[in-house]
Amino acid sequence: MAVRDYIRERFMPHIWCAGCGHGIVMNNLIRAIEVLGLKKNDIVMVSGIGCSARISGYLDFHTLHTLHGRALAFATGVKLGRPDLHIIVPMGDGDATAIGGNHFIHAARRNIDITAVIMNNHIYGMTGGQYSPLSVYGRMATTAPFGNIDQAFDIVGLAQSAGASFVARTTSYHATSMIKIFQKAITHKGFSVVEVLSQCPTYYGRKNRLGDAVEMMEFFKKNTTPLGSAAKEKNPDLIERGIFVQEDRPEYCAEYKKIIKKAMGEQ
Amino acid sequence: MNKKTLFLQGNEVCVEAALYAGLDFFAGYPITPSTEIVEHLASRLPQKGGCFIQMEDEIASMCAIIGASLTGMKAMTATSGPGFSLMQEAIGYAVMAEIPCVIVNVQRGGPSTGMPTSVSQGDVMQARWGTHGDHAIITLTASNHQDVFAMTVEAFNLAETYRTPVILLLDEVVGHMREKLLMPEPAEIPLIERLHTSVKEGTDYHPYLPREDGRLPMSDFGGVHRYNVTGLVHDMWGFPTNNPKIAHGLMRHIVDKIENRVSEITRVKEYFLDDAEGILLSYGSSARSALHVVKNRRKSGERLGLLELQTLWPFPAELVRERCAHAKYVLVVELNMGQILQEVKKAVDDPSKVFLANKVDGTFITPTDIRNVIRLILGKGV
C-alpha cells in the first residue's frame, strides 16, 4: 500500500507548524506498518492531548483520541478487550512524563503489549511553549522566563527501570533507523517504548535561539551517537540512540489468560 | 419456581447483578466502602472468562473501562467519594464520546477523605454535575438488596440503550449491610445488548449519526469499520470540528437523548401515596427508615406515604410534582444537606410545604429521627 492509503485525507491539512518533527514520525510509523504488512483493521491508535496526539486522527486505523495523559490507561482497556490487536500510542512530553507519568510507569511495569512512541521536543507545543518534564535545565520557555530550573527526565532510563521490555531512542534526523526501530517495537511482545527526539522550531527553537528546523535536526545528527560507540567514550555529553532493552518477559495479556484458566479450573 | 436464596452484602449483590447483566470487563482501585466489589470481581470475573484489572488509580480505571467498552465489552468500575472525584474527567469523556459503561459509587461520609467507613448520600449533586460542561447523565440508586440487583442490571441496560455512562449511587449502609437476595433466574430480567451497526464493510459508517429514534448503532474496535473517537466536539464521522452548527447539534443530542426521555428512564417505588397527607420522599438506605415510619404510622391511622426514587438523574420532576400535588407536606429524607430537597422544591407547586429530615454526621437516620421532624412540621413538638 502507498503511504497515502494510511492517511485520512478528510483530516488534512494537519495542525503541525512548518518544520515540526511530528510529521516525520508519522510518516515513518506508516512506513514501518507497511513493511510489516499489518492490516489496518488490526491496529488501534490511542492518543492523549497535544500536538503529537493528533497523529491518531490523521491515520486510517481504529483511532481513539482521549484525555491528556490518559492514553495508556484507555489503551490498556482496549488491549485487554482485544489482545489480538496492535495498539500504538503516540505521545508527547506531557502525555508521557507529566500528567501521564503514572500511567506510563505502570503500563511499563505490567509489560502489557502496547507500543508507546514518545515524541520528545522538550516543550509543550500545543499550549504555546511552556516547559515540560523533558525541557533541558537552563532553557527558556514561556513559563520559565528566567530559565528552567527543573531537571529533565531521561525517558530511556525511566522506561527501563519501570520494567518496559523494549526501550529505544532515535531522532527525527535518523529516519531510516527510526523505521526499523518502529518495526521491532510494534512486533515486540510486551511494553515497548520508542523515544524520538523531535524538533519544535516554533517554540523551543525560537525561545532558545536554536535556529530553524534544519539546524535543530543537525543538532540531533551532531550530538547523538549509536549505542556503545567509541565516540561516547570520548565525549560523554553525546546522547546515545539505538535499542537499549529488548527482552522476552511475561506479557500481561498472556499472563491474564493463565489467570482465566486457573479461575475456571477452580470453579 | 424455587429461587436460590442468598444472604449477601450489598456490594456482593452488585457484583452478582453485574455478572447477570453480562459484565465482561472491570477495572478498579480499592477504596472503602466499595472494596468488596473489587475483591469479589477479582475472583468472579475470570471464572466466567471476563477480564479484571486493578489499575494504578481511579482515573486509569475509568479510562480503561471506556477503552474496553469500545471493543464491545460490557464494562464497569466501582469506587467511593475520593475515587469518584478522580473519575470525573473521564466520565465526561464517556458522555461526549457516547461510550456505554457503568460507574458504581458506594458513598461515604464527608468531602475529601471524610469518614471512609460511615454512610452518606453526599455525592448526589456530584453525580449530576461532577464533570465539567453542560451534559445529561443517568444516575440510579437502591435501598435494598433486591433493588440493588435490579438497578445494577438496569444500569447496564440504560448504558447500552442510550450509549452513555450510567452512575449507580449506592451508600455505605446498603453496600455493607447483609440481607436476603432472591437470585433472579437467568432471563427473568430482560437484558439489553449493544446495538451494532448493520452497515456492511466498504460502506461509509457514521458512528455519530443518530437514527430516527436517537440511538447510535456501534461498531467494535477491531471490526470492519475504522473510525475516530474523540472528546472534542465532533461530526458524524467522529472528526473534531469547531463548526457552530455541528457543535450545537451535538450538544442538543447528548442532552436531549436523556432529558427528553425522563419518563422512560424514571424508576420509582410508591407506598400508600393515594390518600397521603404527608409524603416522605427518599432514596437509597435512608428510604428504609422512611418506609419503616410510614408503615408504622399507618397502623395508627396517620395518612403517610413514601415516594422512593430509584432514578435520581434525570430528576423525575413532573412525576414528583404530580404525586405531591395534594399532600399537606413533603418531607425529603436524605443523608446530606438537602441535595434532592432543592430539586423537590423546584418541582412542586408550593415549595414552602417541602421539609428536610437529614443527617450529615456519618450515622444512619433512624425512624425516630424522621418521626421527630414530622412532629415539628405538625407543630407537636419533639
Side-chain angles (χ1 to χ4, degrees), chain A residues 6-261:
Chain A
Y6 291 90
I7 290 173
R8 288 171 171 155
E9 288 185 38
R10 200 182 264 150
F11 249 118
M12 296 293 133
H14 60 68
I15 65 157
W16 297 317
C17 305
C20 177
H22 293 356
I24 299 173
V25 176
M26 183 170 89
N27 188 330
N28 289 327
L29 254 179
I30 294 172
R31 286 171 198 275
I33 288 163
E34 192 205 4
V35 174
L36 290 172
L38 303 179
K39 289 190 191 127
K40 291 200 276 190
N41 281 344
D42 291 343
I43 298 174
V44 183
M45 196 160 266
V46 187
S47 67
I49 297 296
C51 300
S52 59
R54 291 303 177 103
I55 285 185
S56 65
Y58 299 148
L59 298 182
D60 187 21
F61 305 125
H62 303 283
T63 57
L64 181 55
H65 178 235
T66 69
L67 303 168
H68 193 30
R70 317 298 173 203
L72 285 169
F74 282 86
T76 299
V78 175
K79 182 67 185 179
L80 283 163
R82 283 293 301 270
D84 55 317
L85 302 178
H86 295 278
I87 318 287
I88 302 171
V89 181
M91 313 169 87
D93 297 26
D95 268 339
T97 62
I99 189 167
N102 198 35
H103 308 306
F104 177 60
I105 55 173
H106 285 279
R109 177 179 63 80
R110 288 187 193 104
N111 195 34
I112 188 164
D113 187 16
I114 292 172
T115 300
V117 176
I118 303 173
M119 281 151 263
N120 173 2
N121 59 8
H122 313 295
I123 200 101
Y124 289 151
M126 186 164 267
T127 44
Q130 299 75 32
Y131 68 90
S132 84
L134 303 176
S135 296
V136 176
Y137 178 87
R139 293 293 197 194
M140 309 301 274
T142 60
T143 46
F146 308 106
N148 173 33
I149 55 168
D150 277 26
Q151 301 293 335
F153 268 128
D154 167 12
I155 290 175
V156 167
L158 183 64
Q160 192 170 351
S161 51
S165 54
F166 183 101
V167 183
R169 180 191 288 131
T170 182
T171 88
S172 57
Y173 177 83
H174 300 90
T176 324
S177 57
M178 194 195 306
I179 298 174
K180 287 183 183 138
I181 286 175
F182 282 156
Q183 284 171 241
K184 286 181 184 161
I186 292 167
T187 46
H188 178 77
K189 282 280 164 226
F191 192 67
S192 51
V193 179
V194 182
E195 177 188 13
V196 184
L197 298 175
S198 177
Q199 72 278 10
C200 174
T202 303
Y203 293 114
Y204 195 67
R206 193 154 49 92
K207 276 265 165 205
N208 292 292
R209 302 179 189 283
L210 302 175
D212 62 13
V214 175
E215 286 169 275
M216 291 180 83
M217 287 171 78
E218 273 191 332
F219 176 89
F220 294 149
K221 181 189 174 190
K222 287 178 186 160
N223 291 280
T224 63
T225 184
L227 187 58
S229 72
K232 175 79 178 171
E233 278 171 34
K234 283 182 206 154
N235 181 5
D237 289 340
L238 289 177
I239 301 164
E240 287 178 300
R241 55 190 156 75
I243 296 168
F244 294 76
V245 180
Q246 189 172 14
E247 286 172 17
D248 269 341
R249 289 202 216 127
E251 191 275 326
Y252 192 84
C253 297
E255 291 297 298
Y256 191 77
K257 266 188 189 166
K258 295 181 198 166
I259 290 291
I260 290 179
K261 266 192 179 170

Side-chain angles (χ1 to χ4, degrees), chain B residues 280-302:
Chain B
L280 305 191
L281 188 149
S282 192
Y283 54 90
S285 64
S286 53
R288 301 173 71 92
S289 292
L291 182 59
H292 186 92
V293 170
V294 168
K295 284 184 174 168
N296 218 16
R297 299 313 299 171
R298 277 276 163 183
K299 286 178 197 160
S300 330
E302 205 172 321

Side-chain angles (χ1 to χ4, degrees), chain B residues 325-345:
Chain B
H326 303 295
K328 288 186 179 152
Y329 67 91
V330 177
L331 180 59
V332 178
V333 183
E334 55 184 338
L335 298 171
N336 57 48
M337 309 277 264
Q339 298 189 18
I340 283 294
L341 172 79
Q342 299 304 328
E343 295 302 311
V344 176
K345 284 194 170 198

Side-chain angles (χ1 to χ4, degrees), chain B residues 79-379:
Chain B
T79 188
S80 184
F84 193 51
S85 291
L86 289 177
M87 289 178 182
Q88 293 302 327
E89 188 192 17
I91 291 173
Y93 183 93
V95 168
M96 188 61 148
E98 302 188 64
I99 314 294
C101 55
V102 173
I103 301 106
V104 183
N105 174 7
V106 187
Q107 297 166 95
R108 65 194 221 178
S112 188
T113 321
M115 289 181 281
T117 56
S118 301
V119 69
S120 153
Q121 294 167 340
D123 304 345
V124 170
M125 275 297 161
Q126 190 188 17
R128 178 64 189 89
W129 292 115
T131 195
H132 58 274
D134 280 310
H135 64 281
I137 197 91
I138 298 175
T139 300
L140 306 177
T141 182
S143 63
N144 63 70
H145 286 9
Q146 213 59 48
D147 289 351
V148 168
F149 196 100
M151 287 303 114
T152 303
V153 175
E154 195 66 42
F156 283 93
N157 284 348
L158 293 172
E160 293 297 339
T161 303
Y162 298 105
R163 270 192 72 166
T164 184
V166 173
I167 293 161
L168 180 62
L169 273 187
L170 303 179
D171 58 53
E172 190 275 336
V173 164
V174 166
H176 279 164
M177 170 183 70
R178 284 183 186 276
E179 69 176 2
K180 189 171 71 173
L181 171 77
L182 290 176
M183 184 72 188
E185 298 289 327
E188 182 182 331
I189 306 176
L191 301 181
I192 293 174
E193 300 305 329
R194 187 158 300 182
L195 182 65
H196 282 103
T197 181
S198 55
V199 172
K200 298 274 182 292
E201 185 172 12
T203 308
D204 206 3
Y205 162 65
H206 303 99
Y208 291 101
L209 181 65
R211 300 196 310 193
E212 268 180 27
D213 62 359
R215 292 189 70 183
L216 291 169
M218 294 184 79
S219 175
D220 298 339
F221 270 21
V224 296
H225 298 295
R226 297 180 300 276
Y227 60 97
N228 191 51
V229 177
T230 179
L232 291 168
V233 166
H234 47 270
D235 62 18
M236 63 184 176
W237 288 283
F239 289 169
T241 176
N242 282 337
N243 180 314
K245 265 189 185 169
I246 295 174
H248 181 83
L250 178 63
M251 288 301 294
R252 286 262 46 122
H253 164 71
I254 59 173
V255 171
D256 290 350
K257 71 176 183 181
I258 290 168
E259 297 292 344
N260 287 352
R261 292 181 174 80
V262 175
S263 60
E264 292 162 45
I265 297 168
T266 297
R267 309 284 182 271
V268 295
K269 293 177 94 171
E270 301 177 30
Y271 300 90
F272 311 107
L273 287 185
D274 290 343
D275 64 341
E277 288 177 347
I279 292 181
L280 305 191
L281 188 149
S282 192
Y283 54 90
S285 64
S286 53
R288 301 173 71 92
S289 292
L291 182 59
H292 186 92
V293 170
V294 168
K295 284 184 174 168
N296 218 16
R297 299 313 299 171
R298 277 276 163 183
K299 286 178 197 160
S300 330
E302 205 172 321
R303 283 154 67 180
L304 272 183
L306 169 66
L307 177 56
E308 181 188 342
L309 303 183
Q310 294 180 300
T311 303
L312 294 179
W313 308 115
F315 188 74
E318 192 52 38
L319 180 140
V320 168
R321 190 192 66 80
E322 189 195 301
R323 299 295 192 276
C324 298
H326 303 295
K328 288 186 179 152
Y329 67 91
V330 177
L331 180 59
V332 178
V333 183
E334 55 184 338
L335 298 171
N336 57 48
M337 309 277 264
Q339 298 189 18
I340 283 294
L341 172 79
Q342 299 304 328
E343 295 302 311
V344 176
K345 284 194 170 198
K346 276 193 272 176
V348 299
D349 299 323
D350 178 10
S352 69
K353 71 177 183 184
V354 182
F355 301 90
L356 173 66
N358 71 337
K359 264 200 164 179
V360 290
D361 59 2
T363 61
F364 190 53
I365 193 161
T366 63
T368 307
D369 295 328
I370 298 168
R371 182 68 202 136
N372 287 341
V373 178
I374 293 173
R375 288 181 64 85
L376 283 174
I377 294 168
L378 298 176

